[in-house]
């Protein structure tokens, strides 16, 4: 309708430029971005296939169907977790430059800011995770072992990258960070007891007039 009047025909031309130019720019950006989308899909699926293959190898090692000299079956799960984490980071590094706006100054600033927040907030968690890896490959104990650490005696109920969970004689559920365990000595009663037996010291109070032979027999 604005085209019908000479005075407003100029407005129509200007409005068309304001609308068509951004739309054409968006359309061109979408068509030009299609190759990057294809690249990201290919990288993602190849990474997932590799992770699935590594999971299969990990399961076979844990079930002792696949044996490598010097590699214990209990190492399969943490080793797979490490490889999966590294591979996921590698996938993100390869995909990130293909994202729209990844080269902009704003995106770089946000990435640096998030990285600083993550490094500051997860320092203790990273310490516990590294300690958990060291404990896993040192093999000082395994699930089901009776151990003593940090003055606590209990059976190992759970062993993860971050914490170790013990159940005491009184059925107390105690969670200990792996960094604390690594910085303290650990006594494993089960590993020694299965091979050479375990000597347990017990104090018994008796009266002096009791017969020592009867006391020994009762003990």
């Amino acid at each position: 309708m604005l085209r019908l009047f000479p005075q407003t025909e100029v407005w129509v031309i200007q409005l068309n430029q304001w609308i068509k130019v951004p739309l054409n720019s968006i359309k061109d950006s979408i068509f030009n971005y299609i190759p990057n989308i294809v690249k990201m899909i290919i990288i993602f699926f190849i990474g997932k296939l590799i992770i699935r293959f590594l999971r299969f190898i990990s399961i076979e090692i844990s079930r002792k169907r696949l044996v490598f000299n010097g590699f214990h079956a209990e190492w399969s799960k943490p080793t797979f977790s490490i490889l999966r984490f590294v591979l996921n980071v590698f996938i993100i590094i390869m995909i990130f430059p293909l994202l729209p706006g990844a080269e902009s100054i704003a995106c770089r600033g946000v990435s640096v800011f998030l990285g600083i927040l993550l490094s500051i907030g997860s320092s203790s968690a990273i310490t516990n995770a590294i300690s958990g890896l060291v404990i896993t490959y040192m093999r000082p104990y395994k699930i089901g072992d009776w151990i003593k650490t940090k003055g606590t005696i209990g059976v190992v109920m759970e062993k993860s990258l971050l914490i170790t969970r013990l159940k005491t004689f009184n059925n107390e559920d105690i969670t200990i960070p792996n960094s604390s365990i690594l910085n303290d000595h650990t006594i494993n009663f089960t590993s020694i007891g299965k091979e050479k037996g375990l000597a347990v010291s017990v104090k018994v109070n008796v009266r002096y007039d009791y017969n020592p032979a009867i006391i020994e027999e009762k003990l």
Side-chain angles (χ1 to χ4, degrees):
M1 292 178 63
L2 295 176
R3 287 181 182 275
L4 299 178
F5 304 97
Q7 293 84 355
T8 58
E9 188 176 2
V10 179
W11 297 359
V12 176
I13 298 174
Q14 188 65 39
L15 285 174
N16 285 334
Q17 290 180 353
W18 289 349
I19 295 174
K20 287 182 179 180
V21 171
L23 290 178
N24 290 331
S25 177
I26 294 173
K27 180 187 67 174
D28 294 338
S29 299
I30 292 175
F31 279 105
N32 293 333
Y33 191 67
I34 290 177
N36 288 342
I37 296 176
V38 175
K39 290 179 183 178
M40 289 191 294
I41 293 174
I42 293 174
I43 293 172
F44 178 79
F45 278 102
I46 291 177
K48 290 302 178 182
L49 286 176
I50 296 175
I51 291 175
R52 187 171 296 181
F53 174 74
L54 293 176
R55 181 184 289 110
F56 170 75
I57 297 297
S58 173
I59 294 174
E60 293 299 309
I61 294 176
S62 63
R63 293 176 179 176
K64 297 183 179 180
R65 296 177 180 175
L66 186 62
V67 179
F68 295 98
N69 293 330
F71 191 90
H72 300 278
E74 61 189 70
W75 290 353
S76 60
K77 185 176 180 180
T79 303
F80 168 70
S81 299
I82 296 172
L83 294 177
R84 181 178 59 185
F85 174 77
V86 172
L87 190 57
N88 284 328
V89 171
F90 184 70
I91 292 173
I92 294 174
I93 292 174
M94 294 185 64
I95 290 178
F96 185 78
L98 301 176
L99 295 175
E103 300 296 330
S104 64
I105 298 177
C107 185
R108 292 179 181 178
V110 172
S111 301
V112 173
F113 179 70
L114 293 178
I116 293 174
L117 288 180
L118 183 63
S119 61
I120 294 175
S122 61
S123 58
S124 59
I126 293 175
T127 302
N128 286 325
I130 294 175
S131 301
L133 290 176
V134 174
I135 291 174
T136 299
Y137 288 101
M138 285 175 55
R139 303 175 66 234
Y141 55 83
K142 59 180 182 294
I143 295 178
D145 286 356
W146 282 95
I147 66 172
K148 179 179 180 181
T149 180
K150 306 297 291 184
T152 303
I153 300 177
V155 60
V156 180
M157 303 299 296
E158 180 183 352
K159 185 177 67 171
S160 65
L161 288 179
L162 299 178
I163 57 98
T164 296
R165 191 163 58 88
L166 304 180
K167 180 178 285 187
T168 64
F169 291 103
N170 298 325
N171 282 334
E172 298 170 334
D173 197 340
I174 299 179
T175 301
I176 305 175
N178 286 332
S179 58
S180 300
I181 296 177
L182 189 63
N183 293 328
D184 194 12
H185 65 277
T186 301
I187 302 174
N188 191 330
F189 301 109
T190 303
S191 61
I192 301 175
K194 288 181 178 180
E195 298 176 359
K196 300 181 180 179
L198 181 64
V200 180
S201 300
V202 180
K203 291 184 178 181
V204 181
N205 297 324
V206 296
R207 290 170 54 181
Y208 286 104
D209 55 350
Y210 281 6
N211 188 346
I214 296 178
I215 296 174
E216 184 177 354
E217 179 183 355
K218 296 300 181 181
L219 290 176

